[in-house]
Structures are given as C-alpha cells and as structure tokens.
Amino acid sequence: QQQQQAIQQAQQQALAELQKGKTEGIAALKAGQTSAVPALEGYYGLGVGFQNPYLQAGTQATNQLAALFGPGGEYTQQPTLEQLQMDPGYAFRLQQGEQAMQSALGSSGMRGSGAALKAATRYGQEAGSQEYQNAYARFMANRDAVMRGLSGLAGTGAGAANVASGLAGQTGGNLSNVYTGTGQNIANT
C-alpha cells in the first residue's frame, strides 16, 4: 500500500510537472510567435521602404507617359509650325542665309530688283523646306529621348513593384509558417 501511494504520489508530481512544462512551453511558443510577427512585419516594411523611391519614380513616369500618349496627349499630335519655328537651328540658319543673300545682292547692286526678289523667294522656300525637315527631325528626336527616359523610369518602378510584391508574398508565407509551426508545436506539447 505504501508503494502504491508512493507510485500515485510520483505520478501526481510527474503529471503536475508535465502540466507545468506544458504551460511554460505553450507560453514560450506564444511569446516566440508574438515577437516573430512584428519582426517579420518590420523587415517587410524595411524592404518595401528601400523600394519606395523607385516605386514613386516609376509611378510618376508612368503617369507622365499616360498623359503624353493618352487621348489628346501631346505625343499623339504632330508638332505645329510654331513649335518647329522655335527650333534654334531653324531660325539661325534662315537668318544667316538671308543675311548672306542680302550681302551678295547688295554688293552686286541688285538689292530690291526682280532678280533679288526671285532669289529671296527661292532661297526662302528651299531653306524653309530643308530646315523644316531638320527641325522636325530634332523635335521628334527630343520626344523620343523624353519617352525613352520616362520608359526607363517606369520600368524601374515596375521592377520595384515586383520586388515589393515578392516581399509581401514571402512575408505572408513566413507569417503563415510561424502560426502553423506554433500551432503544431502547441498540439505536440
């Protein structure tokens, strides 16, 4: 009977110790989960924070491209004559050519004659046509350079968005693993 009581007492002490160990183990698992969740969220925020400048630049560039190429956008229209005439090369070459022609005609005493007017008209038409094409080409090249720059920034933003999306998925998976692992460990306990 004494042995029986000793066994029962030992079983009760062992059971109490197991209960205590279980309670402490569950508390430790929950504490680990409680500290892991904010740590993972913090690392996610840090990672996305590193991507923010690129996301913002990409968003701004995408918005600019959408405005330029959207309905009625500047890049959906051909340049106007006024825009092309503002080209410094167009105005300079036209002015220099007219001055050279006037000098040549003036030195030969033909300024104001019919021949001078005919020469001026011909020069204006030829130079205007040639310089219009040159100004148009420069105008379109400038547009292309702007578009390429904005497209590069938009691509950088898209890359940063992919990184941020990957971080979100990875963090979600890690959080799920923390909760699942904690639940399994508590069940095992």
Side-chain angles (χ1 to χ4, degrees), residues 21-95:
K22 174 185 164 191
T23 302
E24 289 174 357
I26 289 172
L29 288 168
K30 287 182 178 179
Q33 174 183 303
T34 300
S35 63
V37 169
L40 286 170
E41 291 170 346
Y43 284 119
Y44 168 75
L46 196 64
V48 170
F50 291 139
Q51 299 303 312
N52 270 338
Y54 307 103
L55 288 167
Q56 290 173 3
T59 298
Q60 290 170 352
T62 299
N63 290 339
Q64 285 181 293
L65 282 170
L68 289 171
F69 287 102
E74 184 181 332
Y75 281 19
T76 63
Q77 302 165 13
Q78 290 296 317
T80 65
L81 179 60
E82 291 79 25
Q83 288 173 313
L84 294 175
Q85 286 176 335
M86 287 189 312
D87 180 85
Y90 180 87
F92 178 77
R93 289 219 26 209
L94 203 56
Q95 175 197 22

Side-chain angles (χ1 to χ4, degrees), residues 16-177:
E17 288 300 315
L18 284 172
Q19 280 297 105
K20 180 181 171 190
K22 174 185 164 191
T23 302
E24 289 174 357
I26 289 172
L29 288 168
K30 287 182 178 179
Q33 174 183 303
T34 300
S35 63
V37 169
L40 286 170
E41 291 170 346
Y43 284 119
Y44 168 75
L46 196 64
V48 170
F50 291 139
Q51 299 303 312
N52 270 338
Y54 307 103
L55 288 167
Q56 290 173 3
T59 298
Q60 290 170 352
T62 299
N63 290 339
Q64 285 181 293
L65 282 170
L68 289 171
F69 287 102
E74 184 181 332
Y75 281 19
T76 63
Q77 302 165 13
Q78 290 296 317
T80 65
L81 179 60
E82 291 79 25
Q83 288 173 313
L84 294 175
Q85 286 176 335
M86 287 189 312
D87 180 85
Y90 180 87
F92 178 77
R93 289 219 26 209
L94 203 56
Q95 175 197 22
Q96 293 299 306
E98 286 175 359
Q99 285 177 358
M101 186 183 62
Q102 289 298 328
S103 293
L105 291 173
S107 67
S108 66
M110 296 184 66
R111 187 175 286 152
S113 70
L117 292 175
K118 187 176 177 182
T121 302
R122 189 179 73 238
Y123 171 78
Q125 289 173 345
E126 289 173 5
S129 175
Q130 181 183 3
E131 277 311 304
Y132 181 88
Q133 289 301 322
N134 292 340
Y136 181 83
R138 284 188 295 271
F139 185 89
M140 297 309 283
N142 287 337
R143 272 191 179 182
D144 186 55
V146 169
M147 188 193 68
R148 280 185 281 122
L150 290 173
S151 293
L153 284 173
T156 299
N162 286 335
V163 169
S165 294
L167 288 172
Q170 183 179 3
T171 301
N174 289 340
L175 287 171
S176 174
N177 290 339

